[in-house]
Amino acid sequence: RKSKEWSNMLKSLKATALSVGSDLDEIWMTLEKGRLEWLGAASSAHKIKELLKNALNNQCGGGAMDGDVSDAKMIWMYSLSLSIPDLDKEAEAWRRAVDMKDKNRPLVCYKPELWDCRKEEWAPLDVG
């Protein structure tokens, strides 16, 4: 941005985009919206991420089993989805699928047998 050619480059880029029917401002705003949502989700799910990491590190026997790691990742990903407005319906469908009573407390009455990533309701949260 400090380069004296910066504005010329932007003009050329916008002209090229316009010539092929591409709306750079819309693309940029979509990317920016996603970036801000991700930052918000990562921040709001940080506490549960740390809780899960500590639980995995402190398991009896000194090491987490693969299934435990997978479950922890799913819980964290679900927690991320709670802060992404476009995933409200999908997060609610997952909450019902795993019989979660309080959407903000996925570990309360946690039923690991229900947290199966092969369930149809999980796919939208996995893709995000």
Side-chain angles (χ1 to χ4, degrees), residues 71-128:
D71 287 356
K73 287 179 181 177
M74 288 179 70
I75 292 166
W76 179 65
M77 290 169 66
Y78 165 79
S79 298
L80 289 170
S81 76
L82 294 177
S83 295
I84 300 174
D86 289 346
L87 292 176
D88 283 347
K89 291 177 187 168
E90 292 81 358
E92 177 59 20
W94 184 251
R95 185 197 64 76
R96 287 190 311 271
V98 298
D99 196 25
M100 189 187 315
K101 303 302 181 212
D102 181 344
K103 73 176 189 174
N104 295 310
R105 299 173 65 201
L107 296 175
V108 173
C109 299
Y110 172 72
K111 299 174 184 172
E113 67 277 6
L114 296 180
W115 285 71
D116 184 343
C117 63
R118 296 169 292 187
K119 286 186 175 183
E120 179 180 324
E121 297 88 351
W122 179 252
L125 297 181
D126 195 22
V127 174

